[in-house]
Amino acid sequence: MNLIKKKIHFLLFMLSSKLPPLRRLLQSRHYGRPSLGTDPRKDRTVQLTPLKGMSVIHDPLLSKGTAFSLSERERLSIRGLVPPRCQEMDRQLLRVKRNLDSLETPLAKFVFLTGLQDRNETLFYNLLIKHLEELSSVIYTPTVGEACLKSHSIYRRSRGMYFSSQDIGAMSAMTYNWPHDEVDVIVVTDGSRVLGLGDLGANGMQIPIGKLSLYVAAGGIRPRAVLPVVLDVGTNNESLLNDPLYLGMGHPRLEGDDYYAFVDEWVTAVTSRWPNALIQFEDFKYPHAYNLLNKCTLMSIKCIHWKSNHRALLDKDKITCFNDDIQSTSAITLAGILASLKSRGKSQEALCEERIVCVGAGSAGVGVCEGIVDAMVSQGKVLSREEAYSRIWMLDETGLLGNPALAKNKDIGQPRSSKLDERQRCYVKSDMMDGLSLDEVVEHVKPSVILGLTGAPGVFTEKAIRTMAKYQENPVVFPLSNPDSRAECTAEEAFKWTDGRAIFASGSPFPDVQLPNGQIGRTNQCNNSYSFPGLGLGITVSRASRVTSSMFLETAKTIANLATPSQLKEGVLFPGVPHLREVALAVGTRVCEVAYEEQVARAVLKKGEILSEVVQNSMFVPEYVPLVHAPNGHH
């Protein structure tokens, strides 16, 4: 049946090429992107390629493996180069899933799936979408953490682009080595703070690759329009520097003006080559993450600036970008807190009444809390931003961000290793002793919510969580660090220490917990895989000129309202991972609406078009389409 359908599609295409009125009827409606890239809705009809022979078979964006039709084999000059029997997608899925299931370790499955992606991206994404809950934890967290640690050992084939310290002065020319003129989303990392694993240098490339796999599978971004990037400015990881198999630059990290000049040049290069691409900054250490974000975007908070004579990062309105760890993580965490309010029988408008302890004062911790503060202010329930800050108690590795003057002649352990910056000082509690431990803070504050963004396993102590449970009927416990080996506590610990009453969400997935009373402690994955695919989809479809703070706030609100009342009653805050594509559609549609409301959208909707339908029809669907050889065709 699929073969017949493809022949019909091809026949219609050939007819429409000779009959302009019919062609206009068959083509998808255009909504104003002639200068902003092709309409992704047209990718589902036919694909033209200048390639023939083995070049087609070995191109993962074109290859169909055993599914090439007889007519395609003839016109693409591959007849006899593949097995004679045509096997469609369903048989291919059966084969790869059977082989995948025979593998014993998550890393072995990761390597297998990477090989499949390198051979046949359409089949890879079809498999991923059909088994999203099972495979998202393989291609992304937690398995991607192990893959990053061992990336130099399991390397098979290059994917993405590497810009290193030896490329200074040549980056603009290098961008033209990438074979695709259209790029919708770039995910870039410098590998300085990979998940909770620290500095992994060029090994961090697995993170942009994994993120973009979710952009495609969940967010519907076209595979040929994504670009993973590593900025290899060196590494301070001695074990990698001493490893003969390490593939990155073998010198310590660039810092200071040299580092920012490097990033300036890269931003100039990619925005010149792909001016409409969305740039997602990923796993940059603190304070680089905030400094780069502030230079590239308009932010609602004050940040530190550095002196630079480079011009690339000065025109804020021209760079469409965001930081995933700061802003996207903030959106999904806020969504979790808002949903937890509903789960506890409260209104989301009661956010300002929450007492929130955040353990972690780096870019993720501060970013998450800034999003919460933004939400409190937007609800109009606080008189000032300062009042919203007063509802959050923040700790770093030393302890509470408090008043050092109150700590004189007190034994508070190790002194703080560095001074607090302008962002962190917003959370200082002048009426509390600096450096108080988590146990002491929880006893004093009696928080309703505790957030973990430290990358330090076991930071949530039994005493602290039991104290929360003493004062809160349903304590909200969110250990958000990735991978699961770096989580601040496990799901089993959270439910045990709260007598099964916790509302639990973590960055990496934990299984549900069987409680002593026979009930099930429901776990949630509060991971930005719920937020960034939809953000990217909405920004790409609307061709937003910049990413606004309202987009993240509306993303949080949208996700917070997706769980059903019965799910919320059980402690389930979000739809399951198998529904990530539906979540992305809801988020993407709302982000599109915000883009048009705030007049940053550059795509022009035709009269009568329904925005939600435009977004849905723009989402990539991994299906084989007829391939036609055209010497001047676009690949």
Side-chain angles (χ1 to χ4, degrees):
M1 181 62 70
N2 288 335
L3 182 60
I4 294 173
K5 287 171 62 179
K6 288 181 179 181
K7 289 183 177 179
I8 292 173
H9 285 318
F10 179 65
L11 178 61
L12 290 173
F13 171 79
M14 297 301 292
L15 286 171
S16 67
S17 66
K18 301 179 183 302
L19 301 173
L22 179 59
R23 180 173 69 247
R24 287 195 295 269
L25 178 64
L26 292 172
Q27 286 178 339
S28 299
R29 291 174 294 175
H30 179 62
Y31 59 103
R33 292 199 201 182
S35 63
L36 299 173
T38 58
D39 188 337
R41 292 174 288 179
K42 296 180 180 178
D43 288 356
R44 302 181 192 176
T45 55
V46 68
Q47 188 166 357
L48 307 180
T49 176
L51 302 181
K52 297 183 74 173
M54 295 301 293
S55 296
V56 173
I57 294 173
H58 290 161
D59 189 318
L61 292 170
L62 297 176
S63 180
K64 299 182 180 182
T66 61
F68 290 104
S69 67
L70 287 177
S71 59
E72 285 177 322
R73 297 177 190 210
E74 191 67 49
R75 62 178 176 261
L76 296 172
S77 300
I78 60 173
R79 192 165 185 169
L81 300 181
V82 292
R85 186 174 181 179
C86 178
Q87 287 188 333
E88 291 287 348
M89 181 83 74
D90 57 345
R91 298 294 179 89
Q92 294 178 323
L93 288 169
L94 177 64
R95 179 182 295 111
V96 296
K97 189 62 167 66
R98 183 181 295 171
N99 290 331
L100 180 66
D101 290 342
S102 69
L103 301 174
E104 295 183 356
T105 68
L107 185 62
K109 293 183 178 184
F110 178 92
V111 173
F112 177 87
L113 289 172
T114 298
L116 176 61
Q117 187 178 18
D118 288 339
R119 295 192 307 273
N120 184 335
E121 293 211 26
T122 306
L123 181 60
F124 168 80
Y125 283 113
N126 198 296
L127 177 73
L128 181 55
I129 290 172
K130 280 182 167 59
H131 304 278
L132 197 53
E133 184 169 27
E134 175 188 351
L135 299 184
S136 62
S137 63
V138 176
I139 62 147
Y140 196 54
T141 184
T143 308
V144 74
E146 184 180 3
C148 286
L149 290 170
K150 300 178 180 178
S151 181
H152 56 294
S153 299
I154 63 174
Y155 177 84
R156 298 291 189 277
R157 177 176 175 176
S158 183
R159 177 174 287 269
M161 291 196 73
Y162 296 79
F163 295 83
S164 72
S165 53
Q166 65 185 2
D167 301 319
I168 294 173
M171 294 185 201
S172 290
M174 285 172 59
T175 61
Y176 288 89
N177 293 338
W178 190 249
H180 304 294
D181 291 332
E182 289 185 32
V183 171
D184 289 334
V185 181
I186 299 171
V187 177
V188 57
T189 185
D190 68 354
S192 58
R193 190 203 63 82
V194 176
L195 302 174
L197 303 172
D199 180 359
L200 297 183
N203 281 11
M205 174 58 94
Q206 300 297 344
I207 297 297
I209 292 173
K211 288 280 186 180
L212 288 168
S213 293
L214 289 175
Y215 262 118
V216 176
I221 306 298
R222 296 171 293 176
R224 62 181 171 86
V226 299
L227 173 58
V229 171
V230 157
L231 304 181
D232 186 359
V233 295
T235 180
N236 295 334
N237 187 322
E238 290 295 331
S239 65
L240 291 178
L241 291 174
N242 294 327
D243 192 322
L245 295 183
Y246 179 59
L247 293 166
M249 298 300 293
H251 60 73
R253 286 187 168 274
L254 300 180
E255 295 291 351
D257 288 344
D258 291 339
Y259 173 83
Y260 290 114
F262 180 97
V263 181
D264 278 9
E265 182 182 347
W266 178 79
V267 171
T268 298
V270 296
T271 53
S272 176
R273 175 81 162 92
W274 301 289
N276 303 305
L278 167 65
I279 300 174
Q280 175 178 310
F281 290 99
E282 186 73 36
D283 286 352
F284 284 74
K285 71 178 183 180
Y286 192 87
H288 291 339
Y290 260 106
N291 289 342
L292 292 172
L293 183 61
N294 185 57
K295 277 288 187 177
C296 292
T297 64
L298 292 173
M299 295 185 66
S300 61
I301 62 173
K302 297 179 180 179
C303 294
I304 299 170
H305 298 266
W306 68 85
K307 295 180 179 179
S308 173
N309 293 323
H310 298 269
R311 61 181 175 82
L313 303 181
L314 297 182
D315 190 347
K316 297 178 179 180
D317 289 333
K318 290 188 177 180
I319 301 175
T320 308
C321 69
F322 70 93
N323 183 292
D324 188 48
D325 306 292
I326 296 173
Q327 295 166 293
S328 183
T329 301
S330 175
I332 186 58
T333 305
L334 174 61
I337 296 174
L338 293 175
S340 79
L341 284 165
K342 296 172 67 177
S343 180
R344 288 174 280 163
K346 300 180 181 180
S347 166
Q348 292 184 359
E349 298 297 312
L351 176 63
C352 63
E353 298 173 9
E354 295 289 89
R355 300 171 69 83
I356 301 169
V357 167
C358 177
V359 188
S363 56
V366 174
V368 163
C369 291
E370 286 296 326
I372 296 170
V373 169
D374 286 342
M376 289 182 180
V377 173
S378 72
Q379 289 180 347
K381 301 292 185 178
V382 293
L383 296 178
S384 65
R385 196 169 184 86
E386 289 68 29
E387 183 179 349
Y389 284 126
S390 73
R391 308 299 299 175
I392 300 173
W393 289 258
M394 185 175 287
L395 293 83
D396 62 8
E397 67 277 4
T398 303
L400 178 73
L401 306 190
N403 187 345
L406 300 180
K408 289 181 178 179
N409 301 319
K410 301 286 186 180
D411 181 13
I412 61 168
Q414 294 295 322
R416 186 165 276 105
S417 59
S418 59
K419 293 183 178 180
L420 301 179
D421 65 22
E422 188 173 357
R423 293 170 290 269
Q424 295 165 325
R425 286 198 294 271
C426 295
Y427 298 93
V428 169
K429 295 295 178 280
S430 60
D431 60 338
M432 295 179 66
M433 185 186 302
D434 190 45
L436 289 177
S437 69
L438 176 61
D439 292 348
E440 293 170 319
V441 172
V442 170
E443 183 62 52
H444 178 83
V445 173
K446 302 175 180 58
S448 54
V449 178
I450 185 168
L451 309 175
L453 296 128
T454 65
V459 165
F460 288 179
T461 65
E462 180 176 354
K463 181 179 179 181
I465 303 303
R466 285 194 180 278
T467 302
M468 276 189 73
K470 185 169 65 174
Y471 297 109
Q472 303 292 337
E473 177 64 26
N474 297 110
V476 178
V477 182
F478 284 8
L480 299 177
S481 292
N482 293 310
D484 53 354
S485 61
R486 313 301 297 178
E488 288 76 12
C489 75
T490 67
E492 188 173 353
E493 288 170 337
F495 285 111
K496 178 181 178 181
W497 297 338
T498 62
D499 299 322
R501 293 183 282 113
I503 295 176
F504 180 87
S506 55
S508 291
F510 281 93
D512 290 341
V513 177
Q514 182 71 51
L515 303 177
N517 61 5
Q519 295 183 338
I520 301 295
R522 299 296 184 185
T523 63
N524 298 274
Q525 188 176 359
C526 186
N527 188 281
N528 47 25
S529 58
Y530 278 92
S531 51
F532 71 78
L535 277 161
L537 174 63
I539 292 164
T540 298
V541 171
S542 68
R543 292 298 175 186
S545 60
R546 59 188 176 91
V547 187
T548 68
S549 59
S550 298
M551 293 177 181
F552 297 100
L553 183 58
E554 292 304 314
T555 293
K557 292 178 179 179
T558 300
I559 298 172
N561 290 320
L562 292 179
T564 65
S566 61
Q567 288 176 321
L568 292 169
K569 187 176 180 179
E570 294 181 357
V572 176
L573 306 179
F574 313 117
V577 172
H579 301 286
L580 283 182
R581 201 166 170 92
E582 293 95 318
V583 173
L585 175 59
V587 170
T589 300
R590 182 63 190 122
V591 169
C592 261
E593 291 172 350
V594 172
Y596 285 103
E597 290 166 2
E598 298 188 331
Q599 299 183 345
V600 297
R602 291 174 290 181
V604 180
L605 286 168
K606 290 187 67 176
K607 185 177 180 180
E609 286 193 308
I610 300 173
L611 188 57
S612 61
E613 293 180 358
V614 172
V615 176
Q616 183 171 18
N617 292 332
S618 296
M619 296 178 74
F620 167 74
V621 178
E623 298 175 343
Y624 293 136
V625 297
L627 291 177
V628 177
H629 174 67
N632 298 318
H634 294 287
H635 172 41

